[in-house]
Amino acid sequence: MTVSRTRTVLGGALILSMTAVGLLPATANATASASAPTVVPTDKGAVRGAVSQGVERFVGIPYAAAPTGSLRWKPPRPAARWTGVREATAFGNPCPVLPSGNGPRSETEDCLDINVWRPAGVRADARLPVHVFIHGGGLTNGSGAQNDESKLVRETGVIGVSLNYRLGVFGFLGLSALTKEGGESGNYGFMDQQAALRWVQRNIAAFGGNPAAVTIDGESAGGWSVCGQLVSPGSRGLFARAMIQSGSCPSEPQDRAETAGTAFARQAGCDSTDQAVVLGCLRSASAGALLDASRSFSAAFVDGTPTFPVNVREAVDSGRFARVPVLVGANRDEGRTFAQGYIGAGKEAYLAFVHSVAGGRADDVLARYPWPETSDAYTAAYLVGAIMTDSGMIGGIGGCGQRSLVRTFERYTPTYSYEFDHRTGPGLTQIPGYVWGAGHAAELAYIWPSFDNGTPIAPLFNADERRLAREMTQYWGAFTKTGRPHVARQPAWPAYHSGKGLMLSLRAGGRSVLIDDTQFAAEHQCSLWDTMPVTQSS
């Protein structure tokens, strides 16, 4: 998730241990694999990967055709076949994005690529469980290159996958002309994800994976995406387990998406009473011009469509989703990542924020989140961050919104829940004096050391944090393998059940502990927020 100040090794040893339990053939070794990476056939042609520290990777593989020209704002089309062996050693282009902490500006629409990691030496018939990660970034930035799956693969023996999908106006533009043309509009990036999951079903066995044992996982907008995949009829049968990290289940109706799309078209200089003219203007515009016009565009999934016949959260609430095991969690201080614009603000700005959020209930909120007698430059940010977290106002992420979602899933399917509760880590970027707490996206570098927000995170971990990283990776791997996050010699993680409602509080230094629903609700002031309608923003 991008942060804006102004806006809301064990390679050889692992190979030996995996050989001992039968996951790899006895002849496999990292040295031999490194000198001769395997060529793997896919349905469009063969690919050759590269090996590092006991993990073989195949990256930048096209899973769909470039959505350019007349294919802009259409469902993904099949990728072209290639002859010979395609080198799959460098990530493909990020989809068009504005610059952010998640990466530089990109204007390349030829971006629908998928990446695969596997333990070096795995045979094609190994049928290992598969972990597919969908990146976050508010549906407007990020890429599959940010979450290198090597650590998860090396330490747990699963197959790892990440992917790109169309973002921002390229992936989520609603427009009446597009609706008339295709029967719906606004869900193109989500359709890309579905195309990538279908690619996994067709091809992952050739990499040693089991297409019947696919876990989908996503953080932030990736978590929204996982919830969408659970609900969308077109995703049924594409996965067996699901993980939602700091996500929720938002969507908006088609007419609202079209209204936002018309406003964007006007901003892009494509203004006409004839919607066909507007669409032609947009399709002929350069990617750069569309990006420049999209700075205020807010992407969302669109319901009342073939992709999402009903509102996504309403579908979950009524049990109309794939009944697979789910693991759902959030971070203790999600809002501190979004509240940095309040660094340096004073009491007056804080009170204005509370009144904007709570209206006539502002006094009730201030009674729970009072301005202290002694304050500093960070007080407003911490208080605003706490309200953002506990209320779930940022896209339903964290706090009482998280609690409601977990309790809903638990009614229908086996559900596991966590709270990332390590509050003294390095944060996403270094802001002198600011305590990030367990802010939004703070957990990512513990499982994916490649993830950062423009500055390194994992290299700053101390010994206790490195232990937490190992433990979290084992939990994620266990759920990918079995649908249960059960790991020997680590704290037990039972399913969340009505009444007691146990979840695992993830803490550094081997101090993770179970907390119950009563404790979680008290931490996040749910007795207040459950009585208040909260307007979500994304």
Side-chain angles (χ1 to χ4, degrees), residues 101-113:
N102 279 337
R105 181 184 178 106
S106 173
E107 298 183 7
T108 306
E109 293 178 81
D110 186 359
C111 63
L112 299 184
D113 295 331

Side-chain angles (χ1 to χ4, degrees), residues 345-359:
K347 182 177 180 179
E348 184 176 340
Y350 170 63
L351 294 177
F353 168 81
V354 172
H355 281 277
S356 71
V357 170

Side-chain angles (χ1 to χ4, degrees), residues 298-453:
S298 181
F301 301 145
V302 183
D303 58 51
T305 61
T307 300
F308 298 111
V310 298
N311 176 276
V312 175
R313 182 57 193 261
E314 289 178 6
V316 172
D317 287 346
S318 60
R320 287 176 285 178
F321 63 91
R323 304 289 183 85
V324 301
V326 298
L327 189 153
V328 187
N331 298 352
R332 172 73 174 270
D333 305 296
E334 294 278 0
R336 288 202 184 183
T337 296
F338 303 107
Q340 292 167 40
Y342 283 87
I343 293 175
K347 182 177 180 179
E348 184 176 340
Y350 170 63
L351 294 177
F353 168 81
V354 172
H355 281 277
S356 71
V357 170
R361 297 286 302 276
D363 287 344
D364 295 335
V365 173
L366 290 170
R368 304 287 187 106
Y369 306 85
W371 187 267
E373 292 184 6
T374 302
S375 61
D376 60 25
Y378 307 105
T379 299
Y382 295 153
L383 287 169
V384 169
I387 292 172
M388 287 178 168
T389 300
D390 298 348
S391 67
M393 63 178 290
I394 305 297
I397 292 170
C400 305
Q402 156 79 7
R403 177 176 180 251
S404 173
L405 185 60
V406 171
R407 286 153 65 97
T408 299
F409 275 124
E410 187 272 335
R411 295 204 306 267
Y412 301 105
T413 197
T415 302
Y416 297 84
S417 184
Y418 72 87
E419 181 169 60
F420 181 78
D421 217 1
H422 179 54
R423 309 180 79 185
T424 58
L428 301 191
T429 58
Q430 300 304 295
I431 302 174
Y434 188 67
V435 178
W436 280 82
H440 187 67
E443 90 284 11
L444 290 176
Y446 290 79
I447 305 168
W448 298 276
S450 60
F451 176 83
D452 62 43
N453 207 244

Side-chain angles (χ1 to χ4, degrees), residues 91-398:
F91 287 108
N93 300 305
C95 289
V97 290
L98 293 166
S100 71
N102 279 337
R105 181 184 178 106
S106 173
E107 298 183 7
T108 306
E109 293 178 81
D110 186 359
C111 63
L112 299 184
D113 295 331
I114 197 164
N115 314 299
V116 180
W117 293 261
R118 67 178 185 178
V122 163
R123 289 172 19 179
D125 60 358
R127 293 185 66 80
L128 299 181
V130 181
H131 178 271
V132 178
F133 190 79
I134 304 172
H135 71 80
L139 303 178
T140 59
N141 56 54
S143 77
Q146 285 183 283
N147 297 90
D148 186 308
E149 294 266 86
S150 294
K151 182 176 187 287
L152 184 68
V153 170
R154 183 167 50 247
E155 296 183 11
T156 70
V158 302
I159 302 288
V161 176
S162 74
L163 56 111
N164 290 348
Y165 55 96
R166 280 174 283 181
L167 301 163
V169 297
F170 297 89
F172 300 97
L173 178 69
L175 206 63
S176 61
L178 287 169
T179 303
K180 182 178 179 180
E181 179 182 86
E184 68 174 287
S185 62
N187 289 317
Y188 309 105
F190 184 84
M191 294 176 189
D192 294 342
Q193 297 173 14
Q194 291 178 314
L197 291 174
R198 288 192 289 270
W199 184 96
V200 170
Q201 288 297 308
R202 296 193 306 271
N203 292 286
I204 206 64
F207 293 87
N210 182 357
V214 172
T215 296
I216 56 172
D217 183 8
E219 185 268 348
S220 192
W224 300 344
S225 299
V226 170
C227 192
Q229 299 295 344
L230 284 166
V231 167
S232 180
S235 302
R236 296 298 166 89
L238 298 180
F239 55 90
R241 296 178 267 278
M243 307 174 76
I244 299 175
Q245 299 179 222
S246 299
S248 59
C249 304
S251 63
E252 67 179 24
Q254 182 73 79
D255 59 353
R256 187 182 303 169
E258 291 177 4
T259 297
T262 299
F264 163 75
R266 192 176 302 116
Q267 184 69 26
C270 296
D271 190 11
S272 172
T273 57
D274 186 335
Q275 286 296 300
V277 172
V278 171
L279 180 55
C281 175
L282 290 172
R283 280 205 169 121
S284 64
S286 69
L290 296 175
L291 279 175
D292 290 337
S294 71
R295 296 182 188 278
S296 62
F297 182 83
S298 181
F301 301 145
V302 183
D303 58 51
T305 61
T307 300
F308 298 111
V310 298
N311 176 276
V312 175
R313 182 57 193 261
E314 289 178 6
V316 172
D317 287 346
S318 60
R320 287 176 285 178
F321 63 91
R323 304 289 183 85
V324 301
V326 298
L327 189 153
V328 187
N331 298 352
R332 172 73 174 270
D333 305 296
E334 294 278 0
R336 288 202 184 183
T337 296
F338 303 107
Q340 292 167 40
Y342 283 87
I343 293 175
K347 182 177 180 179
E348 184 176 340
Y350 170 63
L351 294 177
F353 168 81
V354 172
H355 281 277
S356 71
V357 170
R361 297 286 302 276
D363 287 344
D364 295 335
V365 173
L366 290 170
R368 304 287 187 106
Y369 306 85
W371 187 267
E373 292 184 6
T374 302
S375 61
D376 60 25
Y378 307 105
T379 299
Y382 295 153
L383 287 169
V384 169
I387 292 172
M388 287 178 168
T389 300
D390 298 348
S391 67
M393 63 178 290
I394 305 297
I397 292 170

